[in-house]
Amino acid sequence: MGHEEQRIGISAAPPATVIDPVCGMTVNPQTARGSVEYQGKKYYFCNPRCAERFQAEPEKYLAPESEVREPAVAPAEATEYTCPMHPEIVSDKPGSCPICGMALEPRTITGAHEEDDSELRSMQRRFWVGAALSIPLLVLSMGAMAEGSPLRHLSPTMLQWLQLALATPVVLWGGWPFFERGWASLVNRSLNMFTLIALGTGVAYVYSLLATIAPGIFPTSIRGAHGHPEVYFEVSAFIVTLVLLGQVLELRARQRTSSAIRSLLDLTPKIARRVRPDGADEEIPLDHVHKGDRLRVRPGDRVPVDGVVEDGGSAVDESMITGEPIPVEKIPGAQVIGGTLNQTGSFVMRAERLGSETLLAQIVRMVAEAQRTRAPIQSLADKVSGYFVPAVVLVAVLTFIGWLIWGPEPRLAYALVNAVAVLIIACPCALGLATPMAIMVSTGRGARAGVLIKNAEALESLEKVDVLVLDKTGTLTEGKPRVVGISAGPGFTQAELLRLAATLERASEHPLGAAILQAAAERNLKLGNAAQFNSITGKGIAGQVDGKEVAVGNLSLFKDRETNPGELVHSAEELQKKGQTVILVAVQGKAAGLIAVADPVKPSARQAVPLLRRNGLRLIMLTGDSSTTAQAIAAELGIDEYRAGILPDKKSEVIKALQSEGHRVAMAGDGINDAPALAQADVGIAMATGTDIAMESADITLVKGDLMGIVRARRLSKSTMRNIRQNLFFAFIYNLLGVPIAAGVLYPFFGLLLQPVFAAAAMSFSSVSVIANALRLRKARL
């Protein structure tokens, strides 16, 4: 039997894993939930349904590779990482830029696998260990100096060895990534903040280590009464812990940014319903859809890929693409877009564009590219550090050489102590706090005012913005169609006209009908009974209400039913010029009136637009709606510039064009369709009343969806940047005054030296000044 099995090609020992030929899943033959033998070979399946499909049409799933058509989902490519500041740096794994030390970002985000967050988890572990050891370290160093403290009974030698034991894991393990980046900055001759951090923490730790294990090498004049020099383990440990906290916050923000693109990818359904040649439906994974396949889309389903409707009809919510709240009627021949939401009907479509060709995939690519190519604003601290770091290092080296040549005996000890004092007083503790403290306080202040700030760059950029681009739907308007006017003909009241239309619309479930039903509910109208309901795709509905023939729809419906609209035509044209959608109503074959539906302007927009213009901002409205509607909204709000019929790719192009002219551009929007433009803009502002994807792509989120939030955000930006500049002044003034004293310029005249302990005190005082100044932002008037 075994020989026979081998002859016909069936392995006596199945392989460890095989591929399910129907769905492409990896299957273990020992645990497979189905198997079928075909033409002398045994195939394994992940579930019985796959086995049934294979058994019905085995040739379909065993086509030669040359006949395999293009799949809907392209195979995942290896992720490449690049530096936002230096695009020439490319790596196949996460890490830091060898030039500036900045964390590398993925070039593209795919939904093929989970994001690698190993660096974030590593920084979190280092931070929590650092915090756990730094706190008792501070208690030891400070408590030993307090009167009545039980720590005073410990010998100075014991205290120093305890501090060494606590500080060593924090500095050497927790701070190791910073030493690597600091070393890379030296090797690449690109000094940055990590150079300062590595030097400050390293020198403070090494000096303290020498003072602990070999106190005898230091001159008697700098030893305390206990015969030991002062140590600064707590300084090095706390610098490392604070910088680790900053890294954790930065990496979390980047993770949220990439999750925005993943949310876009998640809009595409994972399963499609393919119509087989015999007319039966079968569920297949999306990556098994091919060009030319006929797919059925049921009510409530998302359209799987881009294509054309072949049979049936429905209303499809395309707000994720166009931003417009009113769903679009789809009849045979109409284009449908993958990821959009089908609402009321069912239709069969032909797949045309798959994978990277779909409009949703293009939006994903645009968001990723905009996020990657948007260069981070170089902070004031980094700009100054470019000159400050080499200057401090040079002063420390000259100090060491000067004391070594001309200093009193023991010259080596004096040279070492004074060089250490220079580096400690120049330690970047206050420099590192200057921006984060102001940002932390200001973001808290903004949150209380309904303005959520994602990062410091957004606040810095917003201060310099001179052009504000505004999406119409959901930003300037409420984003939901409402009945804004009713015109009743002779013999009808507004209430009766609305009641008849709402009674009929109750059976249609059409989106515009929902607005009519809501208006009837708000007026507490009692609806009648509808019969003989008939829906005419793209034109309207008809039927009987309480025994009367009623038709609700557009002019095409009136023409088909040979109903004379009379004066309603002129009224409809006037309302359409105002950007309103007009619904005509006929009763018993005669025109009875019309109902106007529109997306009303937000009250806050009327208040905010004049203030924003007074603030010196040039306002431009973008919308996917018609020119007529755009003109009406712009005129109502007093906005001089507008662009109508703008699709997602065009929105981001408008932003790019403005930026190429030298403008700093902010973009405010609320929909998925706004995501590429929000990412491309110098500052993206999202309405929290909109989609999560818009909020993730934006730098600032307005919690209440209130346009006045932009006014508040602008004021907060100016206050914050002014505070940061003040903080940087406090951070550097002590260094500029203290470094020459630490170097020993007063010693020849007054015999004064700035010992490391006082250098550390000056450094700490500068940090206190920065913190106190930043806390003033809590009371900023917005």
PDB file of all heavy atoms in Angstrom, residues 170-196:
ATOM      1  N   VAL A 170      20.687  52.856  35.910  1.00  0.00           N
ATOM      2  CA  VAL A 170      19.961  53.921  35.208  1.00  0.00           C
ATOM      3  C   VAL A 170      20.837  54.512  34.100  1.00  0.00           C
ATOM      4  O   VAL A 170      20.407  54.673  32.953  1.00  0.00           O
ATOM      5  CB  VAL A 170      19.525  55.029  36.191  1.00  0.00           C
ATOM      6  CG1 VAL A 170      18.767  56.132  35.436  1.00  0.00           C
ATOM      7  CG2 VAL A 170      18.652  54.457  37.294  1.00  0.00           C
ATOM      8  N   VAL A 171      22.077  54.851  34.458  1.00  0.00           N
ATOM      9  CA  VAL A 171      22.957  55.522  33.502  1.00  0.00           C
ATOM     10  C   VAL A 171      23.459  54.563  32.433  1.00  0.00           C
ATOM     11  O   VAL A 171      23.370  54.844  31.235  1.00  0.00           O
ATOM     12  CB  VAL A 171      24.143  56.185  34.239  1.00  0.00           C
ATOM     13  CG1 VAL A 171      25.108  56.811  33.236  1.00  0.00           C
ATOM     14  CG2 VAL A 171      23.639  57.241  35.219  1.00  0.00           C
ATOM     15  N   LEU A 172      23.976  53.404  32.829  1.00  0.00           N
ATOM     16  CA  LEU A 172      24.611  52.510  31.870  1.00  0.00           C
ATOM     17  C   LEU A 172      23.615  51.690  31.052  1.00  0.00           C
ATOM     18  O   LEU A 172      23.843  51.435  29.864  1.00  0.00           O
ATOM     19  CB  LEU A 172      25.591  51.572  32.586  1.00  0.00           C
ATOM     20  CG  LEU A 172      26.772  52.258  33.294  1.00  0.00           C
ATOM     21  CD1 LEU A 172      27.746  51.216  33.816  1.00  0.00           C
ATOM     22  CD2 LEU A 172      27.484  53.229  32.366  1.00  0.00           C
ATOM     23  N   TRP A 173      22.521  51.261  31.681  1.00  0.00           N
ATOM     24  CA  TRP A 173      21.515  50.494  30.925  1.00  0.00           C
ATOM     25  C   TRP A 173      20.434  51.412  30.366  1.00  0.00           C
ATOM     26  O   TRP A 173      20.165  51.417  29.162  1.00  0.00           O
ATOM     27  CB  TRP A 173      20.895  49.415  31.808  1.00  0.00           C
ATOM     28  CG  TRP A 173      19.811  48.644  31.078  1.00  0.00           C
ATOM     29  CD1 TRP A 173      19.973  47.746  30.069  1.00  0.00           C
ATOM     30  CD2 TRP A 173      18.391  48.747  31.306  1.00  0.00           C
ATOM     31  NE1 TRP A 173      18.745  47.269  29.652  1.00  0.00           N
ATOM     32  CE2 TRP A 173      17.762  47.858  30.399  1.00  0.00           C
ATOM     33  CE3 TRP A 173      17.605  49.487  32.193  1.00  0.00           C
ATOM     34  CZ2 TRP A 173      16.379  47.706  30.354  1.00  0.00           C
ATOM     35  CZ3 TRP A 173      16.226  49.329  32.148  1.00  0.00           C
ATOM     36  CH2 TRP A 173      15.620  48.447  31.233  1.00  0.00           C
ATOM     37  N   GLY A 174      19.810  52.224  31.236  1.00  0.00           N
ATOM     38  CA  GLY A 174      18.743  53.118  30.783  1.00  0.00           C
ATOM     39  C   GLY A 174      19.229  54.143  29.774  1.00  0.00           C
ATOM     40  O   GLY A 174      18.538  54.458  28.796  1.00  0.00           O
ATOM     41  N   GLY A 175      20.431  54.695  29.991  1.00  0.00           N
ATOM     42  CA  GLY A 175      20.927  55.741  29.111  1.00  0.00           C
ATOM     43  C   GLY A 175      21.780  55.244  27.962  1.00  0.00           C
ATOM     44  O   GLY A 175      22.293  56.077  27.188  1.00  0.00           O
ATOM     45  N   TRP A 176      21.919  53.913  27.813  1.00  0.00           N
ATOM     46  CA  TRP A 176      22.785  53.391  26.766  1.00  0.00           C
ATOM     47  C   TRP A 176      22.405  53.879  25.361  1.00  0.00           C
ATOM     48  O   TRP A 176      23.288  54.231  24.570  1.00  0.00           O
ATOM     49  CB  TRP A 176      22.804  51.862  26.808  1.00  0.00           C
ATOM     50  CG  TRP A 176      23.761  51.267  25.819  1.00  0.00           C
ATOM     51  CD1 TRP A 176      23.475  50.579  24.678  1.00  0.00           C
ATOM     52  CD2 TRP A 176      25.192  51.342  25.880  1.00  0.00           C
ATOM     53  NE1 TRP A 176      24.611  50.212  24.023  1.00  0.00           N
ATOM     54  CE2 TRP A 176      25.691  50.674  24.743  1.00  0.00           C
ATOM     55  CE3 TRP A 176      26.090  51.910  26.781  1.00  0.00           C
ATOM     56  CZ2 TRP A 176      27.049  50.558  24.482  1.00  0.00           C
ATOM     57  CZ3 TRP A 176      27.453  51.799  26.516  1.00  0.00           C
ATOM     58  CH2 TRP A 176      27.919  51.135  25.383  1.00  0.00           C
ATOM     59  N   PRO A 177      21.082  53.937  24.993  1.00  0.00           N
ATOM     60  CA  PRO A 177      20.741  54.442  23.649  1.00  0.00           C
ATOM     61  C   PRO A 177      21.231  55.869  23.420  1.00  0.00           C
ATOM     62  O   PRO A 177      21.597  56.225  22.293  1.00  0.00           O
ATOM     63  CB  PRO A 177      19.207  54.370  23.626  1.00  0.00           C
ATOM     64  CG  PRO A 177      18.851  53.346  24.643  1.00  0.00           C
ATOM     65  CD  PRO A 177      19.870  53.478  25.718  1.00  0.00           C
ATOM     66  N   PHE A 178      21.248  56.683  24.478  1.00  0.00           N
ATOM     67  CA  PHE A 178      21.682  58.074  24.315  1.00  0.00           C
ATOM     68  C   PHE A 178      23.200  58.160  24.155  1.00  0.00           C
ATOM     69  O   PHE A 178      23.701  59.018  23.423  1.00  0.00           O
ATOM     70  CB  PHE A 178      21.216  58.916  25.500  1.00  0.00           C
ATOM     71  CG  PHE A 178      19.757  58.762  25.805  1.00  0.00           C
ATOM     72  CD1 PHE A 178      19.287  58.664  27.111  1.00  0.00           C
ATOM     73  CD2 PHE A 178      18.826  58.683  24.776  1.00  0.00           C
ATOM     74  CE1 PHE A 178      17.947  58.512  27.376  1.00  0.00           C
ATOM     75  CE2 PHE A 178      17.471  58.525  25.033  1.00  0.00           C
ATOM     76  CZ  PHE A 178      17.039  58.430  26.342  1.00  0.00           C
ATOM     77  N   PHE A 179      23.920  57.276  24.835  1.00  0.00           N
ATOM     78  CA  PHE A 179      25.369  57.241  24.641  1.00  0.00           C
ATOM     79  C   PHE A 179      25.703  56.788  23.212  1.00  0.00           C
ATOM     80  O   PHE A 179      26.633  57.306  22.587  1.00  0.00           O
ATOM     81  CB  PHE A 179      26.032  56.313  25.664  1.00  0.00           C
ATOM     82  CG  PHE A 179      26.019  56.867  27.066  1.00  0.00           C
ATOM     83  CD1 PHE A 179      25.282  56.252  28.072  1.00  0.00           C
ATOM     84  CD2 PHE A 179      26.729  58.012  27.378  1.00  0.00           C
ATOM     85  CE1 PHE A 179      25.265  56.772  29.357  1.00  0.00           C
ATOM     86  CE2 PHE A 179      26.718  58.531  28.661  1.00  0.00           C
ATOM     87  CZ  PHE A 179      25.980  57.914  29.656  1.00  0.00           C
ATOM     88  N   GLU A 180      24.919  55.831  22.694  1.00  0.00           N
ATOM     89  CA  GLU A 180      25.128  55.395  21.314  1.00  0.00           C
ATOM     90  C   GLU A 180      24.882  56.540  20.339  1.00  0.00           C
ATOM     91  O   GLU A 180      25.664  56.778  19.411  1.00  0.00           O
ATOM     92  CB  GLU A 180      24.190  54.228  20.988  1.00  0.00           C
ATOM     93  CG  GLU A 180      24.599  52.894  21.608  1.00  0.00           C
ATOM     94  CD  GLU A 180      23.692  51.768  21.161  1.00  0.00           C
ATOM     95  OE1 GLU A 180      22.474  52.006  21.023  1.00  0.00           O
ATOM     96  OE2 GLU A 180      24.197  50.657  20.939  1.00  0.00           O
ATOM     97  N   ARG A 181      23.789  57.283  20.561  1.00  0.00           N
ATOM     98  CA  ARG A 181      23.469  58.393  19.659  1.00  0.00           C
ATOM     99  C   ARG A 181      24.471  59.535  19.823  1.00  0.00           C
ATOM    100  O   ARG A 181      24.818  60.210  18.847  1.00  0.00           O
ATOM    101  CB  ARG A 181      22.046  58.889  19.935  1.00  0.00           C
ATOM    102  CG  ARG A 181      20.981  57.850  19.633  1.00  0.00           C
ATOM    103  CD  ARG A 181      19.585  58.343  19.948  1.00  0.00           C
ATOM    104  NE  ARG A 181      18.602  57.270  19.821  1.00  0.00           N
ATOM    105  CZ  ARG A 181      17.298  57.436  19.952  1.00  0.00           C
ATOM    106  NH1 ARG A 181      16.822  58.643  20.245  1.00  0.00           N
ATOM    107  NH2 ARG A 181      16.474  56.421  19.818  1.00  0.00           N
ATOM    108  N   GLY A 182      24.903  59.771  21.056  1.00  0.00           N
ATOM    109  CA  GLY A 182      25.906  60.803  21.287  1.00  0.00           C
ATOM    110  C   GLY A 182      27.214  60.460  20.593  1.00  0.00           C
ATOM    111  O   GLY A 182      27.858  61.329  19.988  1.00  0.00           O
ATOM    112  N   TRP A 183      27.615  59.186  20.671  1.00  0.00           N
ATOM    113  CA  TRP A 183      28.835  58.750  20.004  1.00  0.00           C
ATOM    114  C   TRP A 183      28.704  58.884  18.487  1.00  0.00           C
ATOM    115  O   TRP A 183      29.617  59.335  17.793  1.00  0.00           O
ATOM    116  CB  TRP A 183      29.151  57.306  20.383  1.00  0.00           C
ATOM    117  CG  TRP A 183      30.333  56.733  19.648  1.00  0.00           C
ATOM    118  CD1 TRP A 183      30.325  55.796  18.670  1.00  0.00           C
ATOM    119  CD2 TRP A 183      31.707  57.092  19.839  1.00  0.00           C
ATOM    120  NE1 TRP A 183      31.583  55.535  18.229  1.00  0.00           N
ATOM    121  CE2 TRP A 183      32.472  56.323  18.940  1.00  0.00           C
ATOM    122  CE3 TRP A 183      32.364  57.975  20.688  1.00  0.00           C
ATOM    123  CZ2 TRP A 183      33.842  56.407  18.856  1.00  0.00           C
ATOM    124  CZ3 TRP A 183      33.744  58.065  20.604  1.00  0.00           C
ATOM    125  CH2 TRP A 183      34.472  57.304  19.700  1.00  0.00           C
ATOM    126  N   ALA A 184      27.500  58.504  17.970  1.00  0.00           N
ATOM    127  CA  ALA A 184      27.257  58.636  16.526  1.00  0.00           C
ATOM    128  C   ALA A 184      27.339  60.097  16.097  1.00  0.00           C
ATOM    129  O   ALA A 184      27.838  60.407  15.004  1.00  0.00           O
ATOM    130  CB  ALA A 184      25.889  58.058  16.166  1.00  0.00           C
ATOM    131  N   SER A 185      26.852  61.013  16.936  1.00  0.00           N
ATOM    132  CA  SER A 185      26.917  62.435  16.586  1.00  0.00           C
ATOM    133  C   SER A 185      28.362  62.911  16.500  1.00  0.00           C
ATOM    134  O   SER A 185      28.686  63.776  15.677  1.00  0.00           O
ATOM    135  CB  SER A 185      26.139  63.268  17.607  1.00  0.00           C
ATOM    136  OG  SER A 185      26.831  63.324  18.845  1.00  0.00           O
ATOM    137  N   LEU A 186      29.224  62.352  17.337  1.00  0.00           N
ATOM    138  CA  LEU A 186      30.643  62.723  17.288  1.00  0.00           C
ATOM    139  C   LEU A 186      31.318  62.124  16.050  1.00  0.00           C
ATOM    140  O   LEU A 186      32.082  62.800  15.361  1.00  0.00           O
ATOM    141  CB  LEU A 186      31.353  62.242  18.557  1.00  0.00           C
ATOM    142  CG  LEU A 186      30.927  62.911  19.868  1.00  0.00           C
ATOM    143  CD1 LEU A 186      31.592  62.225  21.056  1.00  0.00           C
ATOM    144  CD2 LEU A 186      31.291  64.392  19.855  1.00  0.00           C
ATOM    145  N   VAL A 187      31.008  60.866  15.779  1.00  0.00           N
ATOM    146  CA  VAL A 187      31.611  60.191  14.635  1.00  0.00           C
ATOM    147  C   VAL A 187      31.214  60.876  13.333  1.00  0.00           C
ATOM    148  O   VAL A 187      32.034  61.038  12.416  1.00  0.00           O
ATOM    149  CB  VAL A 187      31.193  58.707  14.607  1.00  0.00           C
ATOM    150  CG1 VAL A 187      31.618  58.044  13.300  1.00  0.00           C
ATOM    151  CG2 VAL A 187      31.787  57.967  15.799  1.00  0.00           C
ATOM    152  N   ASN A 188      29.931  61.301  13.250  1.00  0.00           N
ATOM    153  CA  ASN A 188      29.425  61.926  12.030  1.00  0.00           C
ATOM    154  C   ASN A 188      29.610  63.446  12.006  1.00  0.00           C
ATOM    155  O   ASN A 188      29.113  64.109  11.102  1.00  0.00           O
ATOM    156  CB  ASN A 188      27.937  61.589  11.853  1.00  0.00           C
ATOM    157  CG  ASN A 188      27.693  60.126  11.568  1.00  0.00           C
ATOM    158  OD1 ASN A 188      27.926  59.646  10.473  1.00  0.00           O
ATOM    159  ND2 ASN A 188      27.226  59.400  12.575  1.00  0.00           N
ATOM    160  N   ARG A 189      30.275  63.975  13.052  1.00  0.00           N
ATOM    161  CA  ARG A 189      30.509  65.422  13.169  1.00  0.00           C
ATOM    162  C   ARG A 189      29.201  66.205  13.028  1.00  0.00           C
ATOM    163  O   ARG A 189      29.130  67.210  12.320  1.00  0.00           O
ATOM    164  CB  ARG A 189      31.506  65.888  12.099  1.00  0.00           C
ATOM    165  CG  ARG A 189      32.887  65.296  12.244  1.00  0.00           C
ATOM    166  CD  ARG A 189      33.851  65.909  11.248  1.00  0.00           C
ATOM    167  NE  ARG A 189      35.188  65.341  11.363  1.00  0.00           N
ATOM    168  CZ  ARG A 189      35.609  64.283  10.715  1.00  0.00           C
ATOM    169  NH1 ARG A 189      34.772  63.643   9.904  1.00  0.00           N
ATOM    170  NH2 ARG A 189      36.840  63.830  10.860  1.00  0.00           N
ATOM    171  N   SER A 190      28.152  65.705  13.676  1.00  0.00           N
ATOM    172  CA  SER A 190      26.851  66.371  13.657  1.00  0.00           C
ATOM    173  C   SER A 190      26.350  66.468  15.097  1.00  0.00           C
ATOM    174  O   SER A 190      25.522  65.682  15.548  1.00  0.00           O
ATOM    175  CB  SER A 190      25.869  65.571  12.787  1.00  0.00           C
ATOM    176  OG  SER A 190      24.600  66.174  12.772  1.00  0.00           O
ATOM    177  N   LEU A 191      26.897  67.440  15.825  1.00  0.00           N
ATOM    178  CA  LEU A 191      26.577  67.567  17.248  1.00  0.00           C
ATOM    179  C   LEU A 191      25.114  67.968  17.430  1.00  0.00           C
ATOM    180  O   LEU A 191      24.596  68.819  16.706  1.00  0.00           O
ATOM    181  CB  LEU A 191      27.498  68.596  17.905  1.00  0.00           C
ATOM    182  CG  LEU A 191      29.009  68.327  17.763  1.00  0.00           C
ATOM    183  CD1 LEU A 191      29.807  69.348  18.544  1.00  0.00           C
ATOM    184  CD2 LEU A 191      29.347  66.916  18.225  1.00  0.00           C
ATOM    185  N   ASN A 192      24.454  67.346  18.415  1.00  0.00           N
ATOM    186  CA  ASN A 192      23.038  67.615  18.663  1.00  0.00           C
ATOM    187  C   ASN A 192      22.741  67.465  20.147  1.00  0.00           C
ATOM    188  O   ASN A 192      23.658  67.376  20.972  1.00  0.00           O
ATOM    189  CB  ASN A 192      22.165  66.674  17.819  1.00  0.00           C
ATOM    190  CG  ASN A 192      22.560  65.211  17.991  1.00  0.00           C
ATOM    191  OD1 ASN A 192      22.709  64.732  19.118  1.00  0.00           O
ATOM    192  ND2 ASN A 192      22.747  64.508  16.883  1.00  0.00           N
ATOM    193  N   MET A 193      21.443  67.417  20.468  1.00  0.00           N
ATOM    194  CA  MET A 193      21.036  67.309  21.869  1.00  0.00           C
ATOM    195  C   MET A 193      21.591  66.046  22.527  1.00  0.00           C
ATOM    196  O   MET A 193      21.911  66.049  23.717  1.00  0.00           O
ATOM    197  CB  MET A 193      19.514  67.308  21.970  1.00  0.00           C
ATOM    198  CG  MET A 193      18.870  68.671  21.783  1.00  0.00           C
ATOM    199  SD  MET A 193      19.269  69.801  23.127  1.00  0.00           S
ATOM    200  CE  MET A 193      18.448  69.006  24.496  1.00  0.00           C
ATOM    201  N   PHE A 194      21.722  64.974  21.772  1.00  0.00           N
ATOM    202  CA  PHE A 194      22.220  63.736  22.361  1.00  0.00           C
ATOM    203  C   PHE A 194      23.710  63.839  22.705  1.00  0.00           C
ATOM    204  O   PHE A 194      24.194  63.120  23.573  1.00  0.00           O
ATOM    205  CB  PHE A 194      21.950  62.555  21.421  1.00  0.00           C
ATOM    206  CG  PHE A 194      20.494  62.222  21.293  1.00  0.00           C
ATOM    207  CD1 PHE A 194      19.791  62.559  20.152  1.00  0.00           C
ATOM    208  CD2 PHE A 194      19.813  61.613  22.332  1.00  0.00           C
ATOM    209  CE1 PHE A 194      18.436  62.281  20.035  1.00  0.00           C
ATOM    210  CE2 PHE A 194      18.472  61.328  22.229  1.00  0.00           C
ATOM    211  CZ  PHE A 194      17.775  61.666  21.077  1.00  0.00           C
ATOM    212  N   THR A 195      24.407  64.726  22.028  1.00  0.00           N
ATOM    213  CA  THR A 195      25.804  64.971  22.402  1.00  0.00           C
ATOM    214  C   THR A 195      25.872  65.555  23.800  1.00  0.00           C
ATOM    215  O   THR A 195      26.671  65.131  24.643  1.00  0.00           O
ATOM    216  CB  THR A 195      26.455  65.951  21.406  1.00  0.00           C
ATOM    217  OG1 THR A 195      26.086  65.605  20.080  1.00  0.00           O
ATOM    218  CG2 THR A 195      27.966  65.938  21.539  1.00  0.00           C
ATOM    219  N   LEU A 196      25.014  66.555  24.039  1.00  0.00           N
ATOM    220  CA  LEU A 196      24.967  67.173  25.366  1.00  0.00           C
ATOM    221  C   LEU A 196      24.548  66.182  26.440  1.00  0.00           C
ATOM    222  O   LEU A 196      25.118  66.134  27.531  1.00  0.00           O
ATOM    223  CB  LEU A 196      23.987  68.356  25.362  1.00  0.00           C
ATOM    224  CG  LEU A 196      24.456  69.668  24.731  1.00  0.00           C
ATOM    225  CD1 LEU A 196      23.318  70.665  24.724  1.00  0.00           C
ATOM    226  CD2 LEU A 196      25.637  70.235  25.492  1.00  0.00           C
TER     227      LEU A 196
END
